[in-house]
Amino acid sequence: MGLKSVLLAVTSALALGFLTFSGTARAADDGEPAFRALFKELVETNTAPGVGSCTLAAQRMETRLKAAGFTDADLHLFIPESAPNDGGLVATLKGTGSKKKPILLLAHIDVVAARREDWTRDPFTLFEEDGQFYGRGVADDKGQAAIFTDLLIRYKREGYKPKRDIKLALTCGEETEGVFNGAKWLSETHKDWIDAAFALNEGSYGVDDASGKHVSFDVEAAEKVYQDFTLQTTNPGGHSSRPRPDNAIYDMADALKAISAYEFPVKLNDATREYFTRMAPIAGGADGTAMRDIVANPQDAAADAQLSKDPAWHSMLRTTCVATLIEGGHAVNALPQSVKADVNCRIFPGTSVAEVQQALATAINNPKVALSLNGAPSPATPAPALGRDILGPIETAVAEVYPGVPVLPTMEVGASDGIYTTAAGIPTYGLYGFFEGPDEGNIHGLNEHVGVQSLMEGRRFFHKLVKLYADQ
């Protein structure tokens, strides 16, 4: 290799973070400088809807994987014709031929919009201050996307040969409704690229208290299904000086009050049953007693009432539906002719959208109120089984990286792209691997942040965990 070629190679390596600035071919200890460079590039690639490009972020991660030795045969860069900025990437680290199906690492690279004038710092520049990383997506979900991408690069450079294939999918569209969703598209169109025994995805954080002490390491072992419904009432209307008993606003008000008063029945699955069992001694007192009682008897009304004082626990125990938008009327001096409202439901895993719609219709009990789906029905995704083959390696890795911290399986009351992979037959579990305090890193809000040490510990955690799974 000539001098010019050597200089070009060194320059390229420096740009990708593979060499230190001294020019030596070492990456300090476990390659943290290279990880920091990758993380910085990913955060500083704007992937917000409408103004950013997931495709560019995916292409940049593809470049890094190729520099580490991944071939074209190992990589699938996909760019939808209908949404050229919403591309994604699938990468595979080949195993040694185990008959066990691969492991899938799933992370979304799109982020919620962020306006520079609202933030203390530029949201699309990575800042490190007072032990925190700041930037849009550092916690949701580019921290994990960077860890997963770096993990494959690190394994490749270590010469690690897993027994089973390890797959990575970086996708767009998780944060925005009604756009091209890469995880959904892959699950429905190219499942062969991502097919796996199970997937690890975003979901639950480790929980820190206000002092920064680790309280629990939460693992999302189930998640609710998101579904919107539209309620509509109509009326001939008329002059407001001549009111009449049938009024579109009153009909809607009655319907929404009926939904507010309706409680879906308590249900438990592997995730919530294990959560309340393990949380009971931590919570103690009346809450701890109620947790033990609800596990023993899901129909225990007293236990339900005690736990439902906490909105998070109330949501973990059942399907919930709540009014979120309303519009109606056309003039201040006219009887309303039409009123429309949105009811947002978070459906307990395994419950069909049709069941929920019927329950709402029964609660409303008024033929004047039209109830319809807002958008396509979400899949009635069942809760994945939570066996020792999944939970055991997590407990082992936590004991090594976070000794003494209890592992709590839980159910995500929101929703993620895991609904698509689970519906496609790839059981999906959510864990970030790092910890957040009571403000949860201010995800989706101003000045989103994640602890520097916490992110590095999460990187160490996944390096251990994925090897445990890959060598099963």
Side-chain angles (χ1 to χ4, degrees), residues 32-374:
E32 184 178 314
F35 169 72
R36 282 172 170 265
L38 185 157
F39 181 48
K40 177 179 174 67
E41 182 175 53
L42 194 55
V43 171
E44 295 187 353
T45 304
N46 188 336
T47 56
V51 296
S53 175
C54 288
T55 300
L56 179 59
Q59 289 169 330
R60 287 174 169 173
M61 295 304 101
E62 180 190 43
T63 297
R64 289 179 174 275
L65 288 161
K66 284 185 174 180
F70 286 83
T71 67
D72 289 340
D74 301 323
L75 303 168
H76 293 287
L77 179 71
F78 58 94
I79 304 172
E81 290 184 9
S82 61
N85 288 326
D86 295 347
L89 178 69
V90 177
T92 302
L93 178 65
K94 295 292 187 182
T96 57
S98 170
K99 292 182 179 178
K100 288 202 170 189
K101 293 179 72 174
I103 302 159
L104 173 63
L105 308 177
L106 175 65
H108 70 84
I109 53 177
D110 61 313
V111 297
V112 171
R115 299 193 306 173
R116 174 64 188 92
E117 58 268 30
D118 296 335
W119 283 53
T120 303
R121 310 159 190 82
D122 179 1
F124 296 104
T125 299
L126 182 66
F127 288 90
E128 181 179 347
E129 297 177 14
D130 301 324
Q132 297 285 321
F133 283 125
Y134 291 89
R136 176 55 89 219
V138 293
D140 183 18
D141 185 29
K142 288 184 175 180
Q144 188 172 57
I147 287 174
F148 284 168
T149 307
D150 169 77
L151 187 66
L152 262 63
I153 292 171
R154 191 174 168 192
Y155 283 165
K156 194 79 164 178
R157 294 191 176 280
E158 289 173 353
Y160 169 61
K161 302 291 185 183
K163 290 182 179 178
R164 60 208 292 188
D165 291 357
I166 302 171
K167 296 183 177 183
L168 167 69
L170 302 176
T171 61
C172 198
E174 197 273 350
E175 296 289 12
T176 308
E177 288 292 313
V179 300
F180 175 84
N181 183 291
K184 183 176 187 290
W185 182 82
L186 287 168
S187 298
E188 296 175 351
T189 307
H190 271 292
K191 187 187 172 187
D192 55 314
W193 291 359
I194 61 168
D195 199 19
F198 62 91
L200 303 181
N201 183 32
E202 65 169 344
S204 294
Y205 290 102
V207 177
D208 280 347
D209 64 18
S211 69
K213 179 183 176 182
H214 294 340
V215 176
S216 63
F217 186 95
D218 291 4
V219 178
E220 180 204 302
E223 67 177 55
K224 283 185 159 184
V225 173
Y226 180 107
Q227 185 65 57
D228 285 305
F229 293 92
T230 297
L231 274 62
Q232 187 160 11
T233 56
T234 57
N235 191 281
H239 200 286
S240 63
S241 66
R242 296 187 294 275
R244 46 191 292 170
D246 55 328
N247 182 298
I249 288 178
Y250 297 159
D251 287 339
M252 181 62 73
D254 290 342
L256 295 179
K257 288 294 290 183
I259 290 173
S260 173
Y262 180 75
E263 281 277 56
F264 285 84
V266 172
K267 292 187 177 182
L268 295 177
N269 54 31
D270 285 356
T272 55
R273 189 176 293 106
E274 195 69 23
Y275 172 83
F276 287 120
T277 298
R278 296 187 182 207
M279 189 65 186
I282 298 173
D287 286 340
T289 299
M291 289 175 185
R292 284 185 283 268
D293 290 345
I294 207 80
V295 169
N297 176 17
Q299 307 313 313
D300 189 320
D304 178 19
Q306 176 66 29
L307 295 176
S308 290
K309 293 177 183 178
D310 184 303
W313 292 339
H314 175 265
S315 292
M316 287 178 65
L317 287 170
R318 53 174 49 81
T319 293
T320 60
C321 293
V322 61
T324 54
L325 292 171
I326 189 167
E327 59 178 291
H330 59 283
V332 294
N333 59 350
L335 300 178
Q337 295 174 354
S338 176
V339 181
K340 185 180 292 186
D342 184 88
V343 172
N344 176 253
C345 295
R346 306 301 175 117
I347 301 173
F348 198 90
T351 303
S352 72
V353 171
E355 287 178 66
V356 175
Q357 185 169 1
Q358 182 57 54
L360 293 177
T362 300
I364 294 168
N365 192 29
N366 185 350
K368 296 179 181 178
V369 180
L371 173 64
S372 60
L373 290 178
N374 183 349

